[in-house]
Amino acid sequence: MGELFRLLRKGNKSAMIAAIVNTIIAIAKGTAYMFTGNVAMFAETMHSLGDAANQFFVFVGSALSKKSPTNRFPNGFGRLVNLVLLGAVLIVGIMAFETIQEGYHHILHPTKSEGFLINIGVLAFALILEMYVLYKAMKEVLHEVGAEAQGLSVIFKSFANLGRAKPATKLVFMEDSVATSGGLLAIIAVVISHYSGILWVEGAASILIGLMMFFVVGRVFLDNAAGVLGIADEEMEEKIGKLVIADPDVTDIQDLAVIKEGEDLHVELEIEIDPSLTVAEADDIKDRLQEKIMAEKGVVDVTIEFDEEDGIETWKPGEPKEVTNK
């Protein structure tokens, strides 16, 4: 039990904050829906419920993925977060289907909902909280990639660097981007329906919110399916390659692979050195390179092999690197 609490303290903080906030939002929206019967509010309730459950699973998965390797699982549990995310998107998919179905029924059989001020008040309250969670996710993205920004530049830089963020943070960012957009869409639909009498517009908004949720499902599924297989981090390969080749004792790089497992990076490196160097000197090179590579964010282990210099240039920065399975 003590180890479990220790791991949970290492869970993704953005996911935990998002889970708590979305639970509060879901309760508020669900209560408003029971009193008003507004279909756009139903869509937003389902959306928030899906987000809350999803982000809670993400938090737990990100925490458990940091469990130390065991004899049975010597490579650790880094990919566990990808597996949890693959399961979590199923929840969002089910919620999205229900949202679209309810919206379709409302278009066919539109009904006037009551409690205009209640609907607008709850949706506005939820929108403010969702914007807060999204902003925290944006800041977390910038923190994870080592970028700095202030003011409006936080928005633009977070979108630009989203691909380099951790899987859990990326999911929270995407879900709350859709949640914020969906909340704004729901408010617009409720206002139009109330003042124009065009009741089916709430059903149309529900369908659009559901489709946005399906977009998140597809994007997250593809990203984490690749993560489960063990995807190469080409940007980090390029960075580490430049770091290694700059070492005065390294004449060439035969092979370099940086494999991303969950939030962890595993580096496999084969370098060429002068064959006249002693074993002690080669060991010094290895220690020096390991220390530099391990200092890079996310790197958890480094495997280095040596080969004698063959006079043929293998490493060419900027070109795709072939991963060799040893």
Side-chain angles (χ1 to χ4, degrees), residues 18 28-29 51 63 75 133 138 154 180 207 237 240 279 288 311:
K29 289 177 178 176
D51 285 352
N75 292 327
V133 174
M138 287 178 173
V154 171
T180 302
I207 291 176
E237 284 180 357
I240 291 177
V279 173
R288 183 169 67 241

Side-chain angles (χ1 to χ4, degrees), residues 144-164:
E144 289 176 359
V145 302
E148 294 184 2
Q150 297 292 332
L152 290 177
S153 62
V154 171
I155 300 173
F156 302 111
K157 283 195 174 184
S158 61
F159 273 99
N161 291 281
L162 182 60
R164 297 164 53 202

Side-chain angles (χ1 to χ4, degrees), residues 249 273-289 306:
D249 292 313
I273 60 174
D274 188 336
S276 65
L277 293 175
T278 66
V279 173
E281 289 172 327
D283 192 55
D284 289 341
I285 297 171
K286 181 179 180 180
D287 291 342
R288 183 169 67 241
L289 290 176
F306 293 103

Side-chain angles (χ1 to χ4, degrees), residues 24 42 54 57 63 67 69 93 124 145 147 151 255 263 269 281 323:
I24 296 170
F42 172 81
N54 209 359
F57 284 124
K67 181 176 171 61
V145 302
D255 187 43
E263 300 175 1
L269 175 66
E281 289 172 327
V323 178

Side-chain angles (χ1 to χ4, degrees), residues 47-197:
H47 191 178
S48 296
L49 278 174
D51 285 352
N54 209 359
Q55 288 155 356
F56 174 74
F57 284 124
V58 168
F59 169 73
V60 174
S62 67
L64 296 181
S65 69
K66 294 177 174 62
K67 181 176 171 61
S68 301
T70 63
N71 291 333
R72 188 177 180 185
F73 300 99
N75 292 327
F77 297 83
R79 299 188 194 189
L80 184 60
V81 66
N82 298 113
L83 287 171
V84 170
L85 287 172
L86 284 177
V89 295
L90 294 177
I91 298 173
V92 181
I94 294 170
M95 298 292 185
F97 174 77
E98 292 291 335
T99 300
I100 292 173
Q101 186 179 53
E102 187 68 21
Y104 176 71
H105 288 159
H106 187 77
I107 290 176
L108 294 180
H109 309 287
T111 56
K112 184 175 179 61
S113 59
E114 303 297 330
F116 172 72
L117 292 179
I118 294 175
N119 288 325
I120 291 296
V122 170
L123 287 171
F125 167 73
L127 182 62
I128 292 170
L129 291 181
E130 282 159 352
M131 289 174 65
Y132 166 76
V133 174
L134 179 58
Y135 180 75
K136 294 290 288 184
M138 287 178 173
K139 296 286 285 185
E140 188 69 15
V141 168
L142 297 180
H143 172 72
E144 289 176 359
V145 302
E148 294 184 2
Q150 297 292 332
L152 290 177
S153 62
V154 171
I155 300 173
F156 302 111
K157 283 195 174 184
S158 61
F159 273 99
N161 291 281
L162 182 60
R164 297 164 53 202
K166 295 178 181 179
T169 304
K170 189 186 298 185
L171 175 65
V172 173
F173 183 100
M174 291 178 62
E175 285 191 337
D176 278 287
S177 294
V178 171
T180 302
S181 303
L184 186 59
L185 184 62
I187 290 174
I188 293 171
V190 170
V191 171
I192 292 174
S193 175
H194 180 76
Y195 286 106
S196 71

